[in-house]
Amino acid sequence: MSLKSHLGPAAIVVMLLGLSLVLAAPQAAVLMGNADAATGSAMHRLVFLNSTLPRMATALLAGASLALSGALFQQVLRNPLASPTTLGISAGANLALVAVTLFVPGLLGFGRDLVALCGSAAAAGLVFLMGARQKFSPISLVMSGLVVSLWCGALSAVLMLLNERYLVSLFIWGAGSLSQQSWAIPLSLAPKLALVCLVVAAILRPLLLNELGDAGARALGVHMVRLRVVAVMAAVALAAFVTSAVGVIGFIGLVSPTIARLAGAPRAGQQLVWSTLIGAALLFLTDTALLATAGAFADFLPTGAVTAIFGSPLLLILLPRLKIRHRLMEAEAPVSLNPATARLAKRLMLPAAVLVLAVALVFGRSPDLGFTLMPPDLSGDLLALRLPRIAAAFFSGAMLAVAGTILQRLTGNEMASPEVLGISAGATLGVAVAVFLVAAPGLGAQLGFSALGAFAVLSVIFLLAARSGLQPERVLLAGIALSAMVDAVIGVIGATGDPRAVFLLRWMSGSTYSVSAFGALMAAVLAVLLISGSAFMRRWLELLPLGSSAASALGVPVGRARFLLLTLAGLLSAAATMSVGPLSFVGLMAPHLSRQLGFVRATPQLFGGALIGGMLMVAADWLGRSLAYPYEIPAGLVSALIGAPFLILLMRRARA
Amino acid sequence: MDARSPDLSPGSRPAAAFRTEALGFAVEGRSLLADISISFAPGTICGLVGHNGSGKSTLLKLLARQQAPTAGRLFFGEKPLEAMGAQAFARQVAYLPQDVTAANTMTVRELVACGRYPWHGALGRFSDLDAHKVEEALALTHMEQLSDRLVDTLSGGERQRAWLAMLMAQDTGCLLLDEPTSALDIAHQMEVLALVRRLSHEKGLGVVIVLHDINMAARFCDRLYALKAGRLIAQGEPQALMTADTLHDIYGIEMNVTRHPALDIPLAYVC
Amino acid sequence: MSLALTRRGFIAAGAACVLRPDLALSAGPQRIVSLDYGLASTLLSLGIVPKAVASRADWDVWVIEPDLPAEVVDLGSSWEINFEVLTSLRPDLILTTPFNAALTPRLEAVAPTLSLGVFTADGGDVLPKAFAATRALAARVERKDEGDAFIARTEAFFDECRARIARIGAPPLALLSFLDARHARIYTAPGLYHNVMQRIGLANAWTAPGNFWGFETIGIERLAEMKDPATRLIIFEPVPADVMPKLEESPLWQALPFARPGQLAVLPGALMFGMLNDAMRFARLITDHLEQAA
């Protein structure tokens, strides 16, 4: 290895550390400067020794661990977008920790790391399971990772909402704060990092052969699969240790290896080493900068949320560099139910829909807490309350299903759904702005701002992806990056303990609670208009899965078709988001279910999916209204919680 | 079957063909194709040959309008290519990309029906004529037996035949095929190329085909065009082109030519 | 006032009472529901039992006193009260806060509403706003006399606490709730706790103002910013289980003056987003504790 290739990364490390020292110097001077002076300075020194220094050490160690984890993932998966954040590893660890905090707090004392490990390993397993179906293509892996992230986030959210008392502490944790009062955390993190480093050093040389590909490595006598398992386990463990110690710190694991590569560390081994050092320096700098400016904001800012806010745009910058190879939809046989069952299911679909609607309308709980039919004397009032919600749920579910069908057909990616299009993130951001500009926004203001936000984000995404001719993968990834950023913003707001965060959390969780009769009518009108609009584009939806060159050879104006279809999917998701919130996974589930029932062609899949999506949402809404009565669980969360495991089950079946 | 029998079936019709004038294509200042002037004869099978990176696939993509040329002009018949609408073009020219997506949820018949898009458009009705053309295409490619199978479940050769059937349903006068045999074993290569030749001759189709294997190209094409480093270095009938000197020019290694022991076709081999 | 009252006016008022017996007999709305703990608790002090309260399930965790009678119905979460319950109760007055402004139009459709804000984004001290809200509520439910009496009771109680504290002389206090072993919420201006401390003659050791609810989220090391060695730390329950053991290990915590025994106390909580009852509960808890400690 020539000395020259080390110069770039080394310069960057030195620069980052130098910058941090410049920022930290005044602080240290204040704290240490007049050490020999009396009284107050003794306390200063104590703070410096037991809070500031351990905090710096934690920043360095956590940064190094996350960066090494990210670099390992990127090497092993040969995927420049892989990292603990983008693969859902950190979110999985966080969810496990949140659940254990709430339900088995006794476990936390000694079993913290173990809990985090289980959570992140489960998340990793899930992501790889889904990724395996598309031969670990970079895009599909990251897409699966972010869907798992979203799901873990949704579950954490519902746990937090139902336990408001712990809300702020969970927010802080989720947002990753580095503040320390003793050396306990860095001292426990250091040996773990050292241990993993040893393991990585042991497999480093054979790992370099990874770049030859499976067959090439095997020809040289390296058992690639076993090696990869070890490397992935090391990476997962690193992310879990950090999450368990200080919470979720986003994007360091993505950014550092990228910087190392751009700075000219060309070979795998060098990249691992330099990524680790750059990660340490980067988190150190972020944290020092945060401390130096914290006084100015006089607010509590968790470091992890800040890295996410600055890190997620990097994902946008990286996108154009990512080579997206031709999508080869792997020869994955579409497993449907056996034909007889599918026929029966098809025939039962309409009656089932009617039944679901009827039950949701007349069956409910009353203050004496029993399930009852609607009491006749209240029927007028109750119908007036239930009808708009049921209608909104139905039409929004249908719109999400159609949006999902369009996106899945457009991208040929089975994990594509409105959630990852960034629309929801935009709408949430709009509402966040509304909450902080207009102290208590009314319904109209909420709707207006969310629509504005959704369209702002959609335009940004379109602008970013326009250069690639609106390649659907790029559009989705841009959406994902923006979603991550919005999550981080909400995290920051939540960690300050501002009660308005609960409002945002509620809004994100997607309840039909605030739907008015007018809102329901709007949803119905929009659903009918937009869904029939999508029926007009059914031919494009048939042909685009053939691949863009085949479709354009048949005379489909690919660019225009993509633009119109994406716009339509955007409108559909935005309209649905207004009443059922941004996160429901109905848009992901319904197209799959529709196909399983044998609706394989575009038009039947669209309409079958719409009906299924509507039913799912109505059922979720009813469950959400009844389960914790008189408290409500938002329909969006109910469907996300039930839907995601169900979806995973479906995919497993399809694999077998 | 003698693949080179020149029988033109009576149902054939004269079709327009491609003509290029000083065609060039460059990416980021790097020239991939320069100064290509070819008049492809209508109703014949024209093979593009050359080593890897010679520009043969690029030329085909320019013809198929998958990419726009950066220099020169392109005509189909008398019309400049850029003056034709996407749908109008697709009614005249069918293109088979090198790596076709598997279209895994479709049956063969559904895939073939996709070929009718240029005729009925995004909103038009799928007419009896469309249905008839689909059946005809299935029959032409002997895919009737397989028409209800999922494309996924087909072997490589059958899958290529299914895609060719889709191109047939498109009912164009000209086919552009980008290495349609690259993933196939020798038997399936023969099967697919023989089919292309038969279709061309039965329907009088003009075909421009990129082929890797010079012997296959010589056996199935009426005319060959050899590219090297983005330039056209030789053209002519296979018999004329298959000489030791020309082959050396094309591939840059010593080659020689012998005769097929049974058929009257040249065979190239490396010395 | 009676001087200004003319004889004619007096007669007219008497006649009105005779002609409108309902006005004379029972004052104001009868079936009242509240979306806010503070307003519900004030209503109880005015002698009216609300029909329903939002988040009733957690009343005993956050509000604790006064006791809420068993027949009071749960309205569901205060963010999303259950309209099916609300409608079936057929209330004649709904108490709410500007915090729930998004719900107001729908609440109006069920019954008249009264929105009273104590914690509002325009900031300012909370206690005076709590007094004003109490008066407004008393006026609206036509229990003006009870309202005045309640306020007088409160002021008297504060005066009593002030006197008791003046007798023993108290150090500056820092009030906080632990979020986890590394983070806490510290209470400061312009919050309810802070205002009550001012009112009963106590100094808040944390001088930086917080958000308009009157708190700030901090890392625990920032407690070292409080320089006065006499400072006493009041920690409100609940304290997460792993906090104290972890703090014991921290040299920094050990070095803080209030880590010493006698400088630190854990007290039961009082609703920090409440009104007068909660202010009184807080004053009583603190005063009792200081007297015990003295």
Side-chain angles (χ1 to χ4, degrees):
Chain A
M1 281 184 222
S2 72
L3 187 66
K4 216 172 159 192
S5 62
H6 286 289
L7 278 179
I12 285 182
V13 172
V14 168
M15 194 188 75
L16 290 173
L17 287 177
L19 215 56
S20 333
L21 289 181
V22 169
L23 282 169
Q27 258 181 308
V30 169
L31 293 171
M32 293 302 281
N34 38 7
D36 47 354
T39 55
S41 62
M43 195 66 219
H44 273 321
R45 204 166 53 215
L46 213 59
V47 170
F48 183 72
L49 289 179
N50 291 297
S51 175
T52 314
L53 278 186
R55 181 171 181 151
M56 290 175 170
T58 310
L60 288 169
L61 288 169
S65 307
L66 289 171
L68 180 56
S69 170
L72 278 172
F73 275 130
Q74 297 192 1
Q75 294 284 333
V76 173
L77 303 174
R78 282 188 276 170
N79 179 346
L81 287 180
S83 76
T85 317
T86 43
L87 292 180
I89 314 287
S90 299
N94 195 42
L95 173 61
L97 288 169
V98 167
V100 169
T101 309
L102 294 175
F103 300 122
V104 232
L107 255 184
L108 279 187
F110 60 95
R112 222 181 142 81
D113 280 335
L114 200 67
V115 171
L117 260 179
C118 290
S120 47
L126 211 61
V127 172
F128 291 141
L129 189 76
M130 294 196 267
R133 287 169 50 74
Q134 303 208 358
K135 304 278 173 199
F136 291 103
S137 93
I139 298 283
S140 71
L141 209 56
V142 169
M143 198 92 79
S144 313
L146 285 149
V147 168
V148 168
S149 270
L150 283 174
W151 188 77
C152 290
L155 194 50
S156 307
V158 81
L159 290 177
M160 284 154 84
L161 276 175
L162 294 178
N163 296 275
E164 276 185 53
R165 205 197 306 199
Y166 294 99
L167 197 64
V168 180
S169 49
L170 294 179
F171 256 131
I172 289 181
W173 197 359
S177 157
L178 287 176
S179 105
Q180 304 292 333
Q181 287 84 40
S182 74
W183 282 91
I185 286 179
L187 284 184
S188 81
L189 204 52
K192 292 176 203 158
L193 176 60
L195 188 72
V196 179
C197 280
L198 278 180
V199 172
V200 173
I203 59 166
L204 186 59
R205 200 175 280 213
L207 198 60
L208 300 185
L209 299 177
N210 189 39
E211 293 184 30
L212 299 179
D214 278 7
R218 199 174 308 118
L220 293 173
V222 176
H223 198 304
M224 218 56 219
V225 173
R226 209 178 303 154
L227 194 67
R228 253 183 231 150
V229 169
V230 174
V232 164
M233 269 168 33
V236 168
L238 282 170
F241 291 147
V242 173
T243 311
S244 128
V246 293
V248 179
I249 295 183
F251 288 96
I252 292 287
L254 176 70
V255 176
S256 313
T258 310
I259 296 181
R261 235 186 348 262
L262 293 181
R267 253 168 287 174
Q270 299 171 20
Q271 277 177 24
L272 284 180
V273 174
W274 284 116
S275 302
T276 310
L277 293 177
I278 288 174
L282 195 64
L283 190 57
F284 185 52
L285 173 63
T286 313
D287 196 47
T288 347
L290 199 65
L291 279 181
T293 52
F297 295 116
D299 243 341
F300 178 82
L301 280 180
T303 316
V306 174
T307 60
I309 290 175
F310 289 109
S312 43
L314 188 93
L315 201 54
L316 295 179
I317 299 170
L318 282 180
L319 285 182
R321 298 175 168 274
L322 185 68
K323 280 205 184 86
I324 297 179
R325 265 167 301 173
H326 261 285
R327 280 169 300 135
L328 280 173
M329 296 235 288
E330 284 304 325
E332 189 79 56
V335 178
S336 358
L337 302 167
N338 74 54
T341 327
R343 259 199 307 281
L344 186 69
K346 272 191 208 171
R347 211 169 304 143
L348 285 179
M349 228 165 78
L350 261 179
V354 172
L355 188 71
V356 167
L357 286 173
V359 166
L361 201 56
V362 300
F363 207 62
R365 284 176 73 170
S366 67
D368 56 30
L369 303 183
F371 279 92
T372 52
L373 280 176
M374 193 156 46
D377 58 316
L378 284 173
S379 61
D381 288 328
L382 289 188
L383 274 184
L385 286 173
R386 287 178 189 168
L387 208 53
R389 301 185 62 169
I390 293 170
F394 183 81
F395 288 112
S396 308
M399 286 192 278
L400 286 174
V402 171
T405 310
I406 291 176
L407 290 174
Q408 288 179 11
R409 286 193 158 259
L410 200 55
T411 55
N413 189 315
E414 57 188 2
M415 296 310 290
S417 74
E419 282 82 16
V420 294
L421 193 58
I423 308 278
S424 33
T428 311
L429 202 61
V431 172
V433 169
V435 169
F436 284 86
L437 283 189
V438 193
L443 271 185
Q446 283 178 33
L447 284 185
F449 272 96
S450 62
L452 268 179
F455 280 101
V457 166
L458 199 61
S459 336
V460 169
I461 292 173
F462 274 20
L463 281 178
L464 285 171
R467 275 227 316 248
S468 69
L470 286 180
Q471 256 194 38
E473 288 84 354
R474 296 206 192 281
V475 174
L476 291 185
L477 282 172
I480 284 166
L482 286 167
S483 304
M485 196 154 72
V486 170
D487 264 4
V489 171
I490 308 275
V492 168
I493 297 169
T496 58
D498 194 318
R500 283 173 287 197
V502 184
F503 178 84
L504 285 179
L505 208 56
R506 280 250 159 226
W507 197 89
M508 281 176 76
S509 58
S511 160
T512 57
Y513 180 77
S514 38
V515 173
S516 62
F518 177 72
L521 190 68
M522 281 294 291
V525 170
L526 284 173
V528 169
L529 281 180
L530 294 173
I531 293 177
S532 26
S534 67
F536 278 119
M537 303 188 197
R538 65 187 186 281
R539 292 260 163 73
W540 290 345
L541 288 173
E542 290 289 358
L543 295 177
L544 283 171
L546 297 179
S548 66
S549 33
S552 78
L554 286 170
V556 175
V558 174
R560 188 149 39 99
R562 278 177 180 165
F563 176 77
L564 286 174
L565 284 168
L566 279 172
T567 307
L568 190 64
L571 287 172
L572 282 162
S573 343
T577 303
M578 305 292 161
S579 36
V580 295
L583 210 73
S584 65
F585 290 94
V586 163
L588 191 61
M589 277 185 285
H592 282 267
L593 282 174
S594 180
R595 216 175 44 216
Q596 298 258 324
L597 288 182
F599 297 120
V600 283
R601 305 207 54 198
T603 319
Q605 198 193 356
L606 278 176
F607 287 105
L611 197 58
I612 292 170
M615 278 198 293
L616 282 175
M617 211 68 209
V618 170
D621 184 54
W622 183 80
L623 282 176
R625 281 187 284 131
S626 309
L627 284 179
Y629 184 89
Y631 296 83
E632 296 202 1
I633 307 172
L637 275 182
V638 174
S639 74
L641 292 183
I642 299 174
F646 177 64
L647 190 70
I648 290 158
L649 205 71
L650 279 186
M651 296 195 145
R652 266 180 44 82
R653 272 192 28 170
R655 222 177 121 62
Chain B
M1 172 169 80
D2 179 5
R4 290 208 11 94
S5 68
D7 59 333
L8 274 170
S9 73
S12 69
R13 55 184 178 178
F18 282 101
R19 182 162 57 85
T20 73
E21 277 179 9
L23 199 62
F25 183 71
V27 176
E28 287 162 11
R30 208 164 61 88
S31 171
L32 299 181
L33 215 56
D35 199 25
I36 305 284
S37 298
I38 304 177
S39 289
F40 293 97
T44 58
I45 302 185
C46 303
L48 301 179
V49 295
H51 60 67
N52 290 339
S54 62
K56 54 191 192 303
S57 270
T58 307
L59 175 56
L60 198 75
K61 284 197 185 106
L62 294 184
L63 296 181
R65 299 215 309 187
Q66 294 284 329
Q67 280 160 342
T70 51
R73 305 201 62 191
L74 252 171
F75 298 89
F76 186 74
E78 287 314 306
K79 273 193 173 165
L81 226 54
E82 64 273 13
M84 298 172 76
Q87 236 164 282
F89 182 71
R91 288 181 184 191
Q92 309 240 32
V93 180
Y95 168 64
L96 182 63
Q98 189 170 354
D99 39 5
V100 288
T101 9
N104 57 2
T105 59
M106 283 189 200
T107 64
V108 170
R109 189 185 305 276
E110 283 165 357
L111 174 66
V112 175
C114 288
R116 296 304 297 164
Y117 176 83
W119 298 93
H120 57 58
L123 299 173
R125 215 169 55 83
F126 192 84
S127 66
D128 290 344
L129 177 67
D130 292 325
H132 172 73
K133 290 285 181 189
V134 169
E135 295 310 317
E136 196 179 80
L138 287 168
L140 270 171
T141 50
H142 302 309
M143 290 296 285
E144 303 103 318
Q145 299 298 317
L146 299 172
S147 65
D148 290 323
R149 287 265 298 276
L150 289 170
V151 176
D152 259 9
T153 61
L154 301 179
S155 71
E158 288 167 341
R159 195 177 298 184
Q160 285 297 18
R161 260 164 58 203
W163 278 85
L164 279 174
M166 187 194 89
L167 265 61
M168 285 303 110
Q170 207 173 331
D171 203 20
T172 59
C174 180
L175 303 182
L176 302 174
L177 309 175
D178 195 352
E179 296 202 30
T181 57
S182 57
L184 302 180
D185 60 41
I186 189 99
H188 284 111
Q189 287 185 29
M190 291 296 292
E191 173 192 327
V192 168
L193 290 175
L195 174 65
V196 169
R197 180 145 191 97
R198 182 167 60 79
L199 293 173
S200 162
H201 288 178
E202 276 177 18
K203 295 186 75 180
L205 300 177
V207 177
V208 181
I209 184 169
V210 171
L211 282 175
H212 216 71
D213 183 332
I214 184 73
N215 285 324
M216 284 291 179
R219 179 164 183 163
F220 286 100
C221 296
D222 300 317
R223 248 185 115 73
L224 293 181
Y225 298 85
L227 285 94
K228 187 179 187 182
R231 290 181 179 274
L232 182 66
I233 55 165
Q235 58 174 308
E237 295 192 354
Q239 304 279 10
L241 199 107
M242 293 281 272
T243 67
D245 285 349
T246 318
L247 289 175
H248 180 263
D249 284 349
I250 300 173
Y251 293 104
I253 53 170
E254 291 301 327
M255 292 180 80
N256 217 332
V257 179
T258 178
R259 305 303 299 179
H260 190 288
L263 304 169
D264 181 28
I265 51 174
L267 276 180
Y269 60 93
V270 177
C271 299
Chain C
M1 178 164 172
S2 60
L3 285 177
L5 207 64
T6 64
R7 213 164 52 136
R8 250 180 78 183
F10 192 72
I11 292 167
C17 286
V18 175
L19 289 173
R20 298 273 314 275
D22 57 318
L23 247 183
L25 273 177
S26 77
Q30 296 298 304
R31 304 179 58 84
I32 305 175
V33 300
S34 174
L35 271 59
D36 180 69
Y37 283 156
L39 290 170
S41 133
T42 307
L43 201 62
L44 284 169
S45 295
L46 298 178
I48 301 175
V49 177
K51 289 295 162 207
V53 174
S55 299
R56 188 210 188 294
D58 282 341
W59 179 278
D60 295 335
V61 177
W62 295 111
V63 187
I64 306 164
E65 58 182 341
D67 256 352
L68 199 59
E71 73 267 20
V72 178
V73 173
D74 198 332
L75 263 186
S77 147
S78 53
W79 299 96
E80 298 190 340
I81 60 139
N82 193 313
F83 271 91
E84 296 196 6
V85 176
L86 183 71
T87 313
S88 63
L89 287 174
R90 306 205 180 284
D92 52 11
L93 179 64
I94 301 171
L95 304 179
T96 175
T97 62
F99 215 57
N100 277 327
L103 287 181
T104 309
R106 298 182 62 194
L107 295 173
E108 291 280 2
V110 178
T113 65
L114 175 64
S115 173
L116 294 170
V118 174
F119 298 87
T120 45
D122 51 349
D125 282 337
V126 163
L127 196 57
K129 286 196 274 185
F131 277 117
T134 304
R135 280 193 202 94
L137 178 62
R140 179 65 178 80
V141 300
E142 299 183 23
R143 298 278 172 121
K144 210 169 169 324
D145 296 342
E146 286 86 342
D148 290 340
F150 178 45
I151 287 173
R153 217 158 57 230
T154 309
E155 296 279 19
F157 183 72
F158 285 157
D159 287 337
E160 181 203 323
C161 291
R162 194 181 175 89
R164 282 160 68 191
I165 285 166
R167 262 198 304 282
I168 51 177
L173 298 182
L175 313 171
L176 66 91
S177 308
F178 279 109
L179 298 171
D180 60 27
R182 294 185 289 141
H183 304 92
R185 190 183 254 188
I186 192 151
Y187 298 98
T188 174
L192 190 66
Y193 290 176
H194 183 81
N195 286 170
V196 171
M197 284 170 76
Q198 288 175 316
R199 177 69 178 77
I200 64 178
L202 288 170
N204 193 339
W206 190 265
T207 46
N211 54 24
F212 67 81
W213 285 275
F215 68 84
E216 190 180 351
T217 304
I218 58 167
I220 284 164
E221 72 280 358
R222 285 188 59 200
L223 291 177
E225 291 171 22
M226 292 182 289
K227 298 288 188 302
D228 190 338
T231 299
R232 226 179 272 179
L233 191 65
I234 307 286
I235 298 163
F236 287 104
E237 287 171 354
V239 181
D242 59 339
V243 168
M244 280 331 216
K246 282 209 176 143
L247 285 180
E248 303 291 311
E249 294 169 8
S250 160
L252 173 60
W253 174 259
Q254 293 300 338
L256 289 172
F258 20 81
R260 287 192 291 278
Q263 295 284 78
L264 168 150
V266 180
L267 294 186
L271 183 66
M272 58 274 198
F273 305 138
M275 287 173 62
L276 296 189
N277 276 320
D278 311 290
M280 281 199 281
R281 176 179 158 84
F282 169 74
R284 199 186 69 237
L285 287 171
I286 291 284
T287 312
D288 287 353
H289 166 72
L290 289 174
E291 275 182 343
Q292 272 168 22

